[in-house]
Amino acid sequence: MLIREQVALAPFTTLGVGGPARYFVETHGEAEVIEAVEFTRSRQLPLFVLGGGSNLVVADKGFAGLVLKVAISGSSSFTPPHENVIFTSGAGVNWDTLVAQTVDANCAGLECLSGIPGTVGGIPVQNVGAYGQEVSQTIREVRVLDLQTLEVRTFSNAECGFAYRASIFNTTQRDRYIILQVSFALRRNGKPNVRYADLQKFFASRTGNPTLAEVRAAVREIRHRKAMLIVPGDEDARSAGSFFKNPIMPQSFFEELLARLESRGLQLPGYPANEGFRKVPAAWLVEHAGFTKGYSKGAAGISRRHALAIVNRGGASAADIIALKDEIQAGVLNEFGIELQPEPVLVGF
Ligand code: NAP
């Protein structure tokens, strides 16, 4: 295991900003992960666990501890004597590679999550979801290293405490566990999920149900149009994905706002969330607060293809990105009284 010093972190992120890690190590197995953690203990260093770097903003001054990149590879599948197929993947496996394998095997459950950047280990943390599917619907088990005891243990789905964009890994037990491996139970020959308007529109002119492979291709195409697919050289895709969470608000607040905006000729979109709450697209709030697609502030800007992505137009610093984030948050708060929460993890700030 090679621990390197002063390693630039920007190339390990999709946004491409930020300074170096004091120490950096890539771990390929569970024993190496434990060894790396012991290194931080012996030197009393802070630890940051890196996956695919697709949801990350690293500060310009970098990170003054050890960055541990989990690069545990390997995927396998087995079919128990019932209808599900179990897919198990190392935390370092590229997420979209796993999704492609499950679709090729004609197993349903992850097809709408095609084209999401990042690695398998990052996926359970915020219960990643898109186009009507979220991973909590199919995760069977999550294998982790407990940083309190240095023991490896396995959580069942119920023990992960999944909720909308949340799990124990980003709430009650934040920073306690390193995810090593995840398994999914998928439906063999299952029907694809075509619930969201974007997907329904995509298939509007076709008769008959699309296949899993067609839904996967459609999701990738829709994401590509919104620059939410990582394509080398595509400036609008040089981002950390959605920069703000879609806010969930009490129904009464939503209705008040709806009425206030209707009187200005604006139709606020809202979707059902937990009972008594509504979910509002953050992108709508950002655009209607005056931050249209393509808005620029120095080398940082808003993607020309999706109002929710802050992009590095080339040579941006983390400070540029954060200044734009602050400006958008202040604008949305001033216009709608809603405090947008950033979605990416901020490291070294
Ligand atoms: P979008 O499809 O325009 O959706 C924006 C918002 O409207 C989301 O909150 C979405 O809920 C909600 N929505 C749209 N259609 C809905 C329906 N039929 N029923 C219930 N809620 C509906 O958003 P986008 O920004 O272009 O992103 C595409 C998809 O990727 C969305 O599902 C989005 O949430 C997801 N995404 C997830 C992450 C993440 O997991 N961290 C990051 C980026 C984008 P949902 O959020 O429940 O889908």
Side-chain angles (χ1 to χ4, degrees), residues 55 112-113 116 123 126-134 164-165 195-198 222-223 226 228 240-247 269-272 279-283 306 308 343:
N55 193 39
C112 292
L113 305 172
I116 293 175
I123 289 288
Q126 52 164 322
N127 182 16
V128 163
Y131 301 108
Q133 269 176 352
E134 51 183 33
Y164 182 68
R165 301 289 181 268
R195 196 157 62 78
Y196 270 36
D198 276 350
I222 293 165
R223 292 188 69 95
K226 296 182 178 186
M228 287 291 185
S242 299
F243 210 96
F244 299 103
K245 294 180 186 169
N246 294 313
Y271 296 95
K279 186 171 54 182
V280 168
H306 199 319
L308 214 43
E343 188 173 284

Coordinates of all heavy atoms in Angstrom, one line a residue, residues 55 112-113 116 123 126-134 164-165 195-198 222-223 226 228 240-247 269-272 279-283 306 308 343, ligand 1:
N55 N -19.6 14.1 -6.3 CA -20.5 14.9 -5.5 C -19.7 15.6 -4.5 O -20.1 15.7 -3.3 CB -21.5 13.9 -4.8 CG -22.7 14.5 -4.2 OD1 -23.2 15.5 -4.8 ND2 -23.1 14.0 -3.0
C112 N -33.4 2.9 -14.1 CA -33.6 4.4 -14.1 C -32.4 5.1 -13.5 O -32.4 6.4 -13.6 CB -34.9 4.8 -13.3 SG -36.4 4.2 -14.1
L113 N -31.5 4.4 -12.9 CA -30.4 5.0 -12.2 C -29.1 4.9 -13.1 O -28.0 5.0 -12.7 CB -30.1 4.3 -10.9 CG -31.3 4.3 -10.0 CD1 -31.1 3.5 -8.7 CD2 -31.7 5.7 -9.5
I116 N -25.5 7.7 -13.8 CA -25.2 8.5 -12.6 C -23.7 8.2 -12.4 O -23.2 7.1 -12.3 CB -26.0 8.0 -11.4 CG1 -27.5 8.4 -11.6 CG2 -25.4 8.7 -10.1 CD1 -28.4 7.9 -10.5
I123 N -23.2 5.2 -3.3 CA -24.7 5.2 -3.7 C -25.6 5.1 -2.5 O -26.6 5.8 -2.4 CB -24.9 4.1 -4.7 CG1 -24.2 4.5 -6.1 CG2 -26.3 3.7 -4.9 CD1 -24.9 5.6 -6.8
Q126 N -26.5 8.6 0.3 CA -27.7 9.5 0.2 C -28.9 8.9 -0.5 O -29.7 9.6 -1.0 CB -27.3 10.8 -0.5 CG -26.6 10.6 -1.8 CD -26.6 11.9 -2.6 OE1 -27.5 12.7 -2.6 NE2 -25.5 12.2 -3.3
N127 N -28.9 7.5 -0.4 CA -30.0 6.8 -1.0 C -30.3 7.4 -2.4 O -31.4 8.0 -2.6 CB -31.3 6.9 -0.1 CG -32.4 6.1 -0.7 OD1 -32.3 5.3 -1.6 ND2 -33.6 6.4 -0.1
V128 N -29.4 7.3 -3.3 CA -29.5 8.0 -4.6 C -30.7 7.5 -5.3 O -31.1 6.3 -5.2 CB -28.2 7.6 -5.4 CG1 -28.4 7.9 -6.9 CG2 -27.0 8.4 -4.9
G129 N -31.4 8.5 -6.0 CA -32.6 8.2 -6.7 C -32.7 9.0 -7.9 O -32.1 10.0 -8.0
A130 N -33.4 8.5 -8.9 CA -33.7 9.3 -10.1 C -34.8 8.6 -10.9 O -34.9 7.4 -10.9 CB -32.5 9.4 -11.0
Y131 N -35.7 9.4 -11.5 CA -36.7 9.0 -12.4 C -37.6 7.9 -11.7 O -38.0 6.9 -12.4 CB -36.2 8.5 -13.7 CG -35.4 9.7 -14.4 CD1 -34.0 9.7 -14.4 CD2 -36.1 10.8 -14.8 CE1 -33.3 10.8 -15.0 CE2 -35.4 11.9 -15.4 CZ -34.1 11.8 -15.4 OH -33.4 12.9 -15.9
G132 N -37.9 8.1 -10.4 CA -38.8 7.2 -9.8 C -38.2 6.0 -9.1 O -39.0 5.1 -8.6
Q133 N -36.9 5.8 -9.2 CA -36.3 4.6 -8.5 C -35.3 5.2 -7.5 O -34.7 6.2 -7.8 CB -35.5 3.8 -9.5 CG -36.3 2.6 -10.1 CD -35.6 1.8 -11.2 OE1 -34.5 2.2 -11.6 NE2 -36.2 0.8 -11.6
E134 N -35.2 4.5 -6.4 CA -34.1 4.9 -5.5 C -33.5 3.6 -4.9 O -34.2 2.6 -4.9 CB -34.5 5.9 -4.4 CG -35.7 5.5 -3.6 CD -36.1 6.6 -2.5 OE1 -35.9 7.8 -2.8 OE2 -36.6 6.2 -1.5
Y164 N -35.7 9.8 2.1 CA -35.4 10.6 0.8 C -34.0 11.2 0.9 O -33.8 12.0 1.8 CB -36.5 11.7 0.6 CG -36.3 12.5 -0.6 CD1 -36.5 11.8 -1.9 CD2 -35.9 13.8 -0.6 CE1 -36.3 12.6 -3.1 CE2 -35.8 14.5 -1.8 CZ -36.0 13.9 -3.0 OH -35.8 14.6 -4.2
R165 N -33.1 10.8 0.0 CA -31.7 11.2 -0.1 C -31.0 11.1 1.2 O -30.1 11.9 1.5 CB -31.7 12.7 -0.5 CG -32.3 12.9 -1.9 CD -31.5 12.4 -3.0 NE -32.2 12.7 -4.3 CZ -33.1 11.9 -4.9 NH1 -33.3 10.7 -4.3 NH2 -33.6 12.2 -6.0
R195 N -42.2 6.1 -15.2 CA -43.2 6.9 -14.4 C -43.0 8.4 -14.6 O -44.0 9.1 -14.7 CB -43.1 6.5 -12.9 CG -44.3 6.9 -12.1 CD -44.3 6.1 -10.9 NE -43.2 6.2 -10.0 CZ -43.0 7.2 -9.1 NH1 -43.9 8.2 -9.1 NH2 -42.0 7.2 -8.3
Y196 N -41.8 8.8 -14.7 CA -41.5 10.3 -14.8 C -41.8 10.9 -16.1 O -41.6 10.2 -17.2 CB -40.1 10.6 -14.4 CG -39.9 10.8 -12.9 CD1 -40.7 10.0 -12.0 CD2 -39.0 11.7 -12.4 CE1 -40.5 10.2 -10.6 CE2 -38.9 11.9 -11.0 CZ -39.6 11.1 -10.1 OH -39.5 11.3 -8.8
A197 N -42.2 12.1 -16.1 CA -42.7 12.8 -17.4 C -41.6 12.7 -18.4 O -41.9 12.5 -19.6 CB -43.0 14.2 -17.1
D198 N -40.3 13.0 -18.0 CA -39.2 13.0 -19.0 C -39.1 11.7 -19.8 O -38.9 11.6 -21.0 CB -37.9 13.2 -18.3 CG -37.5 14.6 -18.1 OD1 -38.3 15.5 -18.6 OD2 -36.6 14.9 -17.3
I222 N -31.4 11.3 -21.8 CA -32.1 12.4 -21.1 C -31.0 13.1 -20.3 O -30.9 14.4 -20.3 CB -33.3 12.0 -20.3 CG1 -34.4 11.5 -21.2 CG2 -33.7 13.1 -19.4 CD1 -35.5 10.7 -20.5
R223 N -30.2 12.3 -19.6 CA -29.1 12.9 -18.7 C -28.1 13.6 -19.6 O -27.6 14.7 -19.2 CB -28.4 11.8 -17.9 CG -29.3 11.2 -16.9 CD -28.5 10.2 -16.0 NE -27.5 11.0 -15.2 CZ -27.8 11.4 -13.9 NH1 -28.9 11.0 -13.3 NH2 -26.9 12.1 -13.3
K226 N -29.2 17.0 -20.5 CA -29.1 17.9 -19.4 C -27.7 18.1 -18.9 O -27.4 18.7 -17.8 CB -30.0 17.4 -18.2 CG -31.4 17.3 -18.5 CD -32.2 16.8 -17.3 CE -33.7 16.8 -17.6 NZ -34.5 16.4 -16.4
M228 N -25.9 15.9 -17.6 CA -25.8 15.2 -16.3 C -25.1 13.8 -16.6 O -25.3 12.9 -15.7 CB -27.2 15.0 -15.7 CG -27.7 16.3 -15.1 SD -26.7 16.8 -13.6 CE -27.6 18.2 -13.1
A240 N -20.6 19.1 -10.1 CA -20.8 18.1 -9.1 C -22.2 17.6 -9.1 O -22.8 17.3 -8.1 CB -20.5 18.7 -7.7
G241 N -22.8 17.6 -10.3 CA -24.2 17.1 -10.5 C -25.1 18.2 -9.9 O -24.8 19.4 -9.9
S242 N -26.3 17.8 -9.4 CA -27.2 18.8 -8.8 C -26.5 19.5 -7.6 O -26.0 18.8 -6.7 CB -28.5 18.1 -8.3 OG -29.1 17.5 -9.4
F243 N -26.5 20.8 -7.6 CA -25.8 21.4 -6.5 C -26.7 21.7 -5.3 O -26.2 21.8 -4.1 CB -25.2 22.8 -6.9 CG -23.9 23.1 -6.2 CD1 -22.7 22.8 -6.7 CD2 -24.0 23.7 -4.9 CE1 -21.5 23.1 -5.9 CE2 -22.9 23.9 -4.1 CZ -21.6 23.6 -4.7
F244 N -28.0 21.6 -5.5 CA -28.9 21.8 -4.3 C -30.0 20.7 -4.3 O -30.4 20.2 -5.3 CB -29.7 23.2 -4.5 CG -28.7 24.4 -4.5 CD1 -28.4 25.0 -5.7 CD2 -28.1 24.8 -3.4 CE1 -27.5 26.1 -5.8 CE2 -27.2 25.9 -3.4 CZ -26.9 26.5 -4.6
K245 N -30.3 20.4 -3.0 CA -31.4 19.4 -2.8 C -32.7 19.9 -3.2 O -32.9 21.2 -3.0 CB -31.4 18.9 -1.4 CG -30.1 18.2 -0.9 CD -30.2 17.9 0.5 CE -28.9 17.3 1.0 NZ -28.8 17.1 2.4
N246 N -33.6 19.1 -3.7 CA -35.0 19.6 -3.9 C -35.7 19.7 -2.6 O -35.8 18.8 -1.8 CB -35.7 18.5 -4.8 CG -35.1 18.4 -6.2 OD1 -34.9 19.4 -6.8 ND2 -34.9 17.2 -6.6
P247 N -36.1 21.0 -2.2 CA -36.6 21.2 -0.9 C -38.0 20.5 -0.6 O -38.8 20.5 -1.5 CB -36.7 22.7 -0.8 CG -36.7 23.2 -2.2 CD -36.0 22.2 -3.0
P269 N -44.4 24.3 -9.4 CA -44.6 22.9 -9.4 C -44.3 22.3 -8.0 O -43.5 22.8 -7.2 CB -43.5 22.4 -10.4 CG -42.5 23.5 -10.5 CD -43.1 24.7 -10.0
G270 N -45.1 21.2 -7.7 CA -44.9 20.5 -6.4 C -45.3 19.1 -6.6 O -46.2 18.8 -7.4
Y271 N -44.6 18.2 -5.9 CA -44.9 16.8 -5.9 C -45.1 16.3 -4.5 O -44.6 16.8 -3.5 CB -43.7 16.0 -6.6 CG -43.5 16.4 -8.0 CD1 -42.6 17.4 -8.3 CD2 -44.2 15.8 -9.0 CE1 -42.4 17.7 -9.7 CE2 -44.0 16.2 -10.3 CZ -43.1 17.1 -10.7 OH -42.9 17.5 -12.0
P272 N -45.9 15.2 -4.3 CA -46.2 14.7 -3.0 C -44.9 14.2 -2.4 O -44.0 13.6 -3.1 CB -47.1 13.5 -3.2 CG -47.5 13.5 -4.7 CD -46.6 14.5 -5.4
K279 N -42.7 18.4 -2.2 CA -41.4 18.5 -2.8 C -41.4 19.4 -4.0 O -42.2 19.2 -4.9 CB -40.9 17.0 -3.2 CG -39.5 16.9 -3.6 CD -39.2 15.4 -3.8 CE -40.2 14.7 -4.8 NZ -40.0 13.3 -4.9
V280 N -40.5 20.4 -4.0 CA -40.5 21.4 -5.1 C -39.1 21.3 -5.8 O -38.1 21.1 -5.2 CB -40.6 22.8 -4.4 CG1 -40.3 23.9 -5.5 CG2 -42.1 23.0 -3.9
P281 N -39.2 21.3 -7.1 CA -37.9 21.2 -7.9 C -37.0 22.4 -7.6 O -37.4 23.5 -7.9 CB -38.3 21.1 -9.3 CG -39.7 20.7 -9.3 CD -40.3 21.2 -8.0
A282 N -35.8 22.2 -7.1 CA -34.9 23.3 -6.8 C -34.5 24.0 -8.0 O -34.3 25.3 -8.0 CB -33.6 22.7 -6.1
A283 N -34.5 23.3 -9.2 CA -34.1 24.0 -10.4 C -35.1 25.1 -10.8 O -34.7 26.1 -11.3 CB -34.0 22.9 -11.6
H306 N -28.8 22.7 -17.5 CA -29.6 22.4 -16.3 C -29.3 23.4 -15.2 O -28.2 23.6 -14.8 CB -29.2 21.0 -15.8 CG -30.2 20.4 -14.9 ND1 -30.8 21.1 -13.9 CD2 -30.7 19.1 -14.8 CE1 -31.7 20.3 -13.2 NE2 -31.6 19.1 -13.8
L308 N -29.6 23.4 -12.2 CA -29.2 23.0 -10.9 C -27.8 22.6 -10.8 O -27.2 22.3 -9.7 CB -30.1 21.7 -10.5 CG -30.4 21.5 -9.0 CD1 -30.9 22.8 -8.4 CD2 -31.5 20.4 -8.9
E343 N -26.1 20.0 -2.1 CA -26.1 18.5 -2.1 C -24.7 17.9 -2.0 O -24.5 16.9 -1.3 CB -26.8 18.0 -3.3 CG -27.0 16.5 -3.3 CD -27.9 16.0 -4.4 OE1 -29.1 16.2 -4.4 OE2 -27.3 15.4 -5.4
Ligands
NAP1 P1 -36.6 16.4 -12.5 O1 -36.8 15.1 -13.2 O2 -36.9 17.7 -13.3 O3 -37.4 16.4 -11.1 C1 -37.3 17.5 -10.3 C2 -38.0 17.3 -9.0 O4 -39.3 16.9 -9.3 C3 -37.4 16.1 -8.2 O5 -37.5 16.4 -6.9 C4 -38.3 15.0 -8.5 O6 -38.5 14.1 -7.4 C5 -39.7 15.7 -8.7 N1 -40.5 14.9 -9.7 C6 -40.5 15.0 -11.0 N2 -41.4 14.2 -11.5 C7 -42.0 13.5 -10.5 C8 -43.0 12.5 -10.4 N3 -43.6 12.0 -11.5 N4 -43.3 12.1 -9.2 C9 -42.7 12.6 -8.1 N5 -41.8 13.5 -8.1 C10 -41.4 14.0 -9.3 O7 -35.1 16.5 -12.0 P2 -33.7 16.6 -12.6 O8 -32.9 17.6 -11.8 O9 -33.7 16.7 -14.1 O10 -33.1 15.2 -12.2 C11 -33.5 14.0 -12.8 C12 -33.7 12.9 -11.7 O11 -32.5 12.7 -11.1 C13 -34.7 13.4 -10.6 O12 -35.4 12.2 -10.2 C14 -33.8 13.8 -9.5 O13 -34.3 13.8 -8.2 C15 -32.6 12.8 -9.7 N6 -31.4 13.3 -9.1 C16 -30.9 12.6 -7.9 C17 -29.8 13.0 -7.3 C18 -29.4 12.2 -6.1 O14 -29.9 11.2 -5.8 N7 -28.5 12.8 -5.3 C19 -29.0 14.0 -7.8 C20 -29.4 14.6 -9.0 C21 -30.6 14.3 -9.6 P3 -37.4 13.0 -7.0 O15 -36.2 13.7 -6.5 O16 -38.1 12.2 -6.0 O17 -37.1 12.2 -8.3

